[in-house]
Amino acid sequence: MLLEDKTVLVTGVLTPASIAFECARVAQEEGAKVLLTSFGRARALTERSAKRLPDPPDVIELDVSNPADLEALTDELRNRWGRVDGVVHAIGFAPADCLGHDEGIFGATWDDVSTALEVSTYSLKALAQATRPLMAPGSSIVGLDFDASKAWPAYDWMGVAKAAFESLARYLARDLGPDGIRVNLVAAGPLRTTAARSIPGFARFEDVWGGRAPLGWDITDTKPAARAVVALLSDWFGATTGEIVHVDGGAHAMGT
Ligand SMILES: NC(=O)c1ccc[n+]([C@@H]2O[C@H](COP(=O)([O-])OP(=O)(O)OC[C@H]3O[C@@H](n4cnc5c(N)ncnc54)[C@H](O)[C@@H]3O)[C@@H](O)[C@H]2O)c1
């Protein structure tokens, strides 16, 4: 099994449609011990989803924009496991004006944008910082990305946040590499999750993606992305860091 005896922290499970839910499921199937995180009112939903995993995991409180939660997370993981072998970052949020605004990129204020960047981008560094003391050489951090090399319809400031996320992953790979910790991203094609449904106009991607992707694309199937996440968590990608693996049916590689 790919993750035999490994301890993996999975953020971002909201519903069974969440990409992170499938990551947790595949990780357990591959032998990992898993803990989930959630926060505030979302927690009840996460706990309900957790019950549908093969081995229902505990849920730890974590709002990535709350320093006290991050500090408590380190202690909680130290007490429960003593070490963390893998971390899945599957967190994204942007205030409504950041996405699909009539005025496009001009629709959002700095207050909106700073929230989007804090929760969707900076959080990768915050999570890495909280888990780093517990990560031994061979550990792996994997984040969920949406290809930020182009300007997409409606994605707007979330696209900017993802571009910074991609850059941040490379800098984290640089700074954690000497500790033997890998940092990689999986750039998934559009998937019909709660976060995606909150983006006005996102349906436009969903409609065209399958036609652009040489392998085709199923917007309801999170398994290919989850399997790539688990592979990157495993020792089978032991010399790969700062990488973005596209799991999008091949759409990113096509001219039209
Ligand atoms: N759905 C897609 O089409 C798609 C494609 C590529 C990448 N992604 C990325 O995948 C990741 C997971 O999103 P998803 O599509 O599975 O949607 P989702 O709505 O199921 O998950 C988003 C998660 O972010 C969490 N979150 C939001 N604010 C948070 C905070 N302050 N602290 C902690 N957690 C917080 C939510 O609780 C939720 O669990 C996101 O980074 C998203 O950008 C999604």
Side-chain angles (χ1 to χ4, degrees):
M1 289 193 288
L2 281 182
L3 300 182
E4 188 139 29
D5 296 329
K6 288 195 189 280
T7 50
V8 177
L9 179 73
V10 179
T11 65
V13 173
L14 191 60
T15 70
S18 296
I19 302 170
F21 179 88
E22 192 63 12
C23 294
R25 200 179 65 75
V26 178
Q28 286 191 337
E29 278 175 8
E30 291 298 324
K33 281 191 218 140
V34 169
L35 283 171
L36 306 182
T37 71
S38 188
F39 74 110
R41 279 181 298 157
R43 201 181 162 121
L45 261 179
T46 304
E47 278 170 357
R48 203 178 316 151
S49 301
K51 292 200 181 89
R52 295 178 58 176
L53 286 166
D55 182 11
D58 286 349
V59 179
I60 300 175
E61 183 75 16
L62 177 67
D63 173 347
V64 273
S65 56
N66 182 345
D69 282 1
L70 287 156
E71 218 171 285
L73 176 72
T74 313
D75 292 339
E76 184 76 35
L77 293 172
R78 187 180 282 115
N79 293 339
R80 282 172 181 260
W81 284 340
R83 67 169 216 282
V84 178
D85 301 312
V87 174
V88 178
H89 179 290
I91 294 169
F93 172 76
D97 283 348
C98 288
L99 295 153
H101 195 283
D102 289 347
E103 292 176 45
I105 210 74
F106 293 103
T109 64
W110 170 241
D111 262 4
D112 300 323
V113 172
S114 62
T115 300
L117 289 173
E118 182 180 17
V119 177
S120 310
T121 306
Y122 180 82
S123 60
L124 182 64
K125 174 265 189 188
L127 193 58
Q129 198 156 26
T131 50
R132 181 185 192 180
L134 303 170
M135 296 186 103
S139 303
S140 168
I141 299 172
V142 183
L144 267 308
D145 182 32
F146 189 73
D147 180 17
S149 63
K150 298 172 187 69
W152 298 103
Y155 207 48
D156 301 350
W157 283 103
M158 197 64 195
V160 177
K162 286 301 190 193
F165 188 70
E166 292 180 355
S167 177
L168 175 58
R170 289 187 283 268
Y171 281 100
L172 286 170
R174 181 194 70 182
D175 289 351
L176 293 174
D179 294 344
I181 302 169
R182 297 174 290 116
V183 183
N184 293 289
L185 302 180
V186 169
L191 291 160
R192 196 168 282 167
T193 63
T194 306
R197 281 199 310 246
S198 71
I199 304 174
F202 201 73
R204 272 188 278 166
F205 294 117
E206 297 183 346
D207 295 342
V208 298
W209 208 272
R212 292 181 51 213
L215 292 175
W217 183 250
D218 179 352
I219 56 162
T220 64
D221 186 5
T222 50
K223 190 184 276 182
R227 285 186 164 176
V229 167
V230 166
L232 285 165
L233 289 173
S234 81
D235 299 338
W236 286 77
F237 272 99
T240 299
T241 196
E243 187 60 279
I244 301 174
V245 176
H246 292 83
V247 181
D248 64 349
H252 73 284
M254 299 298 112
T256 54

